[in-house]
Amino acid sequence: MFAKTNAARVAVTATATAAVLLSAGAALAASPLDGRISLRNDRHRPVQVTIDGEETVRLAAGQTRTLHHIPNGVRFLE
């Protein structure tokens, strides 16, 4: 009887561990809510654009660039 109880405990533990690992992998994957920001520099000189004070992008004069994997929502572009 002890062997059956121990086997059940191991099975439950293995299932719970697998569920935790799968949910962690899903959390690390790219979110469908991640979007794109298209930037275009209409000026005659290069500019630097900072997104949320973290990511800095340099655009040459007349250059257009699309940034991927930007979380959706209100972004502060400077």
Side-chain angles (χ1 to χ4, degrees):
M1 184 163 173
F2 181 70
K4 289 182 182 178
T5 305
N6 197 20
R9 188 176 298 144
V10 169
V12 168
T13 303
T15 303
T17 303
V20 168
L21 291 175
L22 288 175
S23 64
L28 293 175
S31 169
L33 298 178
D34 286 351
R36 295 185 297 260
I37 292 179
S38 295
L39 303 172
R40 181 176 171 170
N41 182 7
D42 287 334
R43 298 180 180 205
H44 296 290
R45 59 186 174 138
V47 296
Q48 283 187 318
V49 178
T50 304
I51 302 170
D52 292 338
E54 296 177 4
E55 184 176 349
T56 300
V57 178
R58 185 170 172 83
L59 293 172
Q63 182 181 8
T64 300
R65 187 167 175 192
T66 301
L67 304 175
H68 300 278
H69 308 295
I70 304 295
N72 284 338
V74 177
R75 303 280 66 123
F76 180 69
L77 300 176
E78 182 177 12

